[in-house]
Amino acid sequence: MITYNPKDWFTFIFRFHKADTLRKLAPLIAGICFYCWVILLLELHIFKLGESSHVKQITSMHTLLSFVISMLLVFRTNTAYDRWWEGRKMWGSLVNNSRNLAIKINSMLKGEEMAHRSFFRKAIPLYASVLAHHLHAESTRLALDETEHPELKTIDTSRHIPNQVASLIFQRVNLLYEEGKIKGDQLIVLNNELQSFTDICGACERIKNTPIPFSYSVFIKKFIFFYVMTLPFSFAISLGYLAIPVVGFIFYVLASLELIAEEIEDPFGGDENDLPMNKMASNIKKHVAEIIG
Amino acid sequence: MITYNPKDWFTFIFRFHKADTLRKLAPLIAGICFYCWVILLLELHIFKLGESSHVKQITSMHTLLSFVISMLLVFRTNTAYDRWWEGRKMWGSLVNNSRNLAIKINSMLKGEEMAHRSFFRKAIPLYASVLAHHLHAESTRLALDETEHPELKTIDTSRHIPNQVASLIFQRVNLLYEEGKIKGDQLIVLNNELQSFTDICGACERIKNTPIPFSYSVFIKKFIFFYVMTLPFSFAISLGYLAIPVVGFIFYVLASLELIAEEIEDPFGGDENDLPMNKMASNIKKHVAEIIG
Amino acid sequence: MITYNPKDWFTFIFRFHKADTLRKLAPLIAGICFYCWVILLLELHIFKLGESSHVKQITSMHTLLSFVISMLLVFRTNTAYDRWWEGRKMWGSLVNNSRNLAIKINSMLKGEEMAHRSFFRKAIPLYASVLAHHLHAESTRLALDETEHPELKTIDTSRHIPNQVASLIFQRVNLLYEEGKIKGDQLIVLNNELQSFTDICGACERIKNTPIPFSYSVFIKKFIFFYVMTLPFSFAISLGYLAIPVVGFIFYVLASLELIAEEIEDPFGGDENDLPMNKMASNIKKHVAEIIG
Amino acid sequence: MITYNPKDWFTFIFRFHKADTLRKLAPLIAGICFYCWVILLLELHIFKLGESSHVKQITSMHTLLSFVISMLLVFRTNTAYDRWWEGRKMWGSLVNNSRNLAIKINSMLKGEEMAHRSFFRKAIPLYASVLAHHLHAESTRLALDETEHPELKTIDTSRHIPNQVASLIFQRVNLLYEEGKIKGDQLIVLNNELQSFTDICGACERIKNTPIPFSYSVFIKKFIFFYVMTLPFSFAISLGYLAIPVVGFIFYVLASLELIAEEIEDPFGGDENDLPMNKMASNIKKHVAEIIG
Amino acid sequence: MITYNPKDWFTFIFRFHKADTLRKLAPLIAGICFYCWVILLLELHIFKLGESSHVKQITSMHTLLSFVISMLLVFRTNTAYDRWWEGRKMWGSLVNNSRNLAIKINSMLKGEEMAHRSFFRKAIPLYASVLAHHLHAESTRLALDETEHPELKTIDTSRHIPNQVASLIFQRVNLLYEEGKIKGDQLIVLNNELQSFTDICGACERIKNTPIPFSYSVFIKKFIFFYVMTLPFSFAISLGYLAIPVVGFIFYVLASLELIAEEIEDPFGGDENDLPMNKMASNIKKHVAEIIG
């Protein structure tokens, strides 16, 4: 994730950051401009279409569909952002529950229980770091894929690490309860935090392994492609050579929105805008160590 | 469900996947193009309407209504996607609760309680698989239908299987409590997971048996139909033979959105975009077996 | 509620179902078309306005306002649908809680407690059916009305039946607790379901007795009325006799959205699209009987 | 709050209710029409601008901005409505929790505990009525204002009444627990309702004392003002004297949306559309008396 | 935060408050107007472009993109407002939980436990004030930044103050439990409020340290910049010198929305529209003192 100052307009407008869609799309925009120039040559110099040509009226199709395409892109933007923000919320919740569990365990365990204290000081932040590792794995992304993945076979037979860690933590708490070191009321008080770990893991897995339905993804890309590809037909006549930058700019806007949405809809990857899970896991480690001390 | 890489634009644009609406709509698009050609012949060659004809101005109606139709399609898209995503969330929650229940039961039951351990190792994933089966059934979709369905009579008298399984699990936990094998505090700690199963089942049934109100469904389809059917009148004059692909493309866009919405608003069917419930149930089985071991 | 197959386009487009807005609006559409014809006669034959008349430019007002009217109708559609869906969720929650309560009671009560078992087998589904009856009543709709309703006087002094049933159920559970037939931990486990009944009843009453603010309802209707009434002025000139079906169609679209919204914003009435509360109550009865058996 | 029948179109369109924005805006609309007439005189008769004047093209600015203004008004409408509906939900929740608390207390307290029963019969509805009073007070609206309000000084030193009532109720329940009249499990069962009162009070205070950010409020009003003030420049030329009613109508539409939003964003005032808190409080009183009887 | 009366239109329209975007943008608007004047001179007097120039048609690009830019600004506005409102909700929740904790502690602790009562009277409001201080700190904003910040080094090694306070409060409650001054059931009843503090702190930190993804921020600013910079090309021809105020006004509208969104998306800063955390913390102090007295 890139931390930035949103009020610094100058940098935003004139620098070309690595994560900037203008940089990523540059070759494609150049291609579209070239295509537009070919159409222009054909229409103006080969077929010599004039202002009264029917081709010029294709623009009315673009106007009618411009609402639909804007709406679709907003739908895409909203759902992608919601997934990203939900992922962030889940990790925020992991931070909260790790802290609360540490605060509670620290109060409940007597000072002399060094072995148990030390266990929790390690195990709580361990959950965050194995979860980060688990979410980066390709096998997690493909967990719901019904087709065979022979290349991932060895992983398929291995165990689910976050579940193992959650299980160890719960067993330890239950042991403390059975040994009478924490009482029943305290077990109930610890329950929320204990079950939250697995809930958070499951929610992150859901975001990771379920992209928006395939049909929408196909449809939006096909729609943008046809929409931009037909723009030069009418613009060549009404705008002349100005059609080239204009079509390039429209393509930049539409494709950028789709491109950013693709990047942020899986917030657990390694893209520039993705969540800094390792940083968060190390923050959890630091805070838990401060609390259980 | 189809697992895919959203960044592979080339495939999306040029291949025609089985779930692609362009493929499904191809015959209808052809029909619309033919209809458009007929209108064109009538207007241009039989009635010989010119540029000044009033018919050409019908396009102003399409412009005024293009906002309304876009908004409606976005409403349709949003509600359909929300239902699909809520269905996914419910199954994600089933995964979480199955895991948490397994983790808790595993800690609470002594190692020697082989019979009880074995019961839960089977019963927890059983819930997921009977729920998947239950949601695929036609009788579930029609559960709120007030008209008679003589063809489903035999099913109507049968019992609600997920409820039976949930009841068995709860009875077993209560038995453990009454035998003193788990204590009262532990019963309270298990309660969340136990009641979640029936809540999830009910939420999935709700999505399955309650489509968006009939009136909206009728209205949207009628509106798209009239809208597209009147397009050629004005476009024939302003666009000439170009009206044929233009109307075809507009129909493709509008009908695709409705078609995808229809498919995903019931995420528990057997369509390409529907949720892979059997895969999820088998994942739950694998993970529970890992935990209770 | 009408259960339907959303993929059957042909039926949707060509049949005129009782709940179809086209059928309900038919007389009004005819009236608007007649009004439009009168305007047309006046403008074209009495005042003989030509293409250069200022009246023709009124269309620019309609274009500017077409965004606002679309947005408003979508706001209306969204809020109405949200209320309908929230109502459905509440009843879904009633189903879940009835089932869960039955499952828990069935496990906790010994087999020989026939009287208590029989009480719950009757009382749980009774709540659903008295709630259905309560929500159908006119007095429930007017519960927040500050004006006097002498015609409903007798009802005003009667008791709130769902509260009475919820109270009976809670008293029975408390009695079981005090007699030692269920223990304290079990009472805590039952608490969620017990308090959910009154929460559901209150949420349904809220939807029933609080329509969207009066000002919005007035404003949307006035706006649609003026918008459609001024359409023929400019369309008569640009479209000639074609203005009649065009204005009729625009009115059909705008009024349909408002009409459907009116119908579904109160999901507990007796309209075609309203929730099948009696069917749901009888489903609850069937499932509870299966569980407590 | 005004209770109405949403299906009665005739009344909505032709009567001018006190809460109707058309009535409230009438003088302003007249003023705008007069301003428009002045502009018209200047342009047509003093400066004698013709169809080819650049002034006529200002309309393209209005078209470009018409999307932005519609979107903004919808944002305004949505946030205002959400606040109003959240306020309604909070009071609905107060109704539910009052009823549930009464149901539980009634079951748990023995019949002979007349003093305690009588306390709760009075104290539960008392909370609703002091909350209604608290939310009507000007000091509640200004609770977060950092500037000095010497005119409210005496109020500032007084106590927070709803907190006092909530405190009394909790003390009484705790007393019952310490006297052994309710057991620990029952205390836990009562906890949800007890803490909900203060949560509801806080949520209502939040809605009351935090309007949408000042900057949005200023910007929307400035934007509507400039937008409408510049409309007559171009409309005077294209529409002639028809510009007067057209500009008036556009102003009516835009200003109405802002006006309704202002009224409903604080649902706890004394406006026509505000929530009938006193009616709700008296309903709670009636229902609690029925239950605890 | 500025407390204001939303119904006072006159002030809103004609005064220029410090937080008014018109005031902040004034120099930029002047710059844009100057740029527009240069373009105008070039087109009209140097290149002498006429009405038939292709440049004039660039306006069709602006029309097509006006939907997209409006949608994007609304997306921006909605997400910024949601963050601001979520921040407000979190602090509202802090108020509620502080009050509830005070009410419960006050009932549970005997009157003679002066030391404990005094501890909670200080510690509960202390949490709010250290949280306010924590959220104002620059180190909190940069908590997820993966780059080095040598200038903040000393802060990095210091402890997380809100966690320390939450830990102290929980330890004290646990001590009361172990000394038998509160019972197990009462500990369970206190648990919700105790764990809410850390949850609220985490949620506020999330809003503070995670702005909307960098890519969106860059894209929206670049898009507005290019959009406004290309407007004068076509407007110079169609509007003449009127293009200068028109372009200035369009820039004011688009940039204002972005500017307000930037300001409110971090509700915990020191901007005019930000939340009055110190005022809220002092209100909590006052109310807790009233309750525990």
Side-chain angles (χ1 to χ4, degrees), chain A residues 221-279:
Chain A
K221 289 192 177 86
K222 279 216 164 81
F223 188 8
I224 293 178
F225 180 78
F226 282 124
Y227 190 85
V228 174
M229 286 296 129
T230 51
L231 271 178
F233 295 120
S234 54
F235 276 15
I237 298 171
S238 59
L239 280 164
Y241 285 95
L242 284 171
I244 298 177
V246 163
V247 171
F249 184 58
I250 292 176
F251 174 75
Y252 160 64
V253 168
L254 302 181
S256 286
L257 283 169
E258 171 66 17
L259 212 70
I260 304 177
E262 273 169 20
E263 197 175 317
I264 69 167
E265 78 172 336
D266 171 9
F268 306 120
D271 290 319
E272 288 282 320
N273 291 301
D274 290 344
L275 298 175
M277 292 191 289
N278 292 327
K279 179 77 181 172

Side-chain angles (χ1 to χ4, degrees), chain B residues 12-24:
Chain B
F12 281 110
I13 292 169
F14 296 109
R15 276 212 215 138
F16 295 89
H17 193 279
K18 203 157 47 130
D20 193 330
T21 55
L22 190 49
R23 193 155 144 173
K24 288 186 187 171

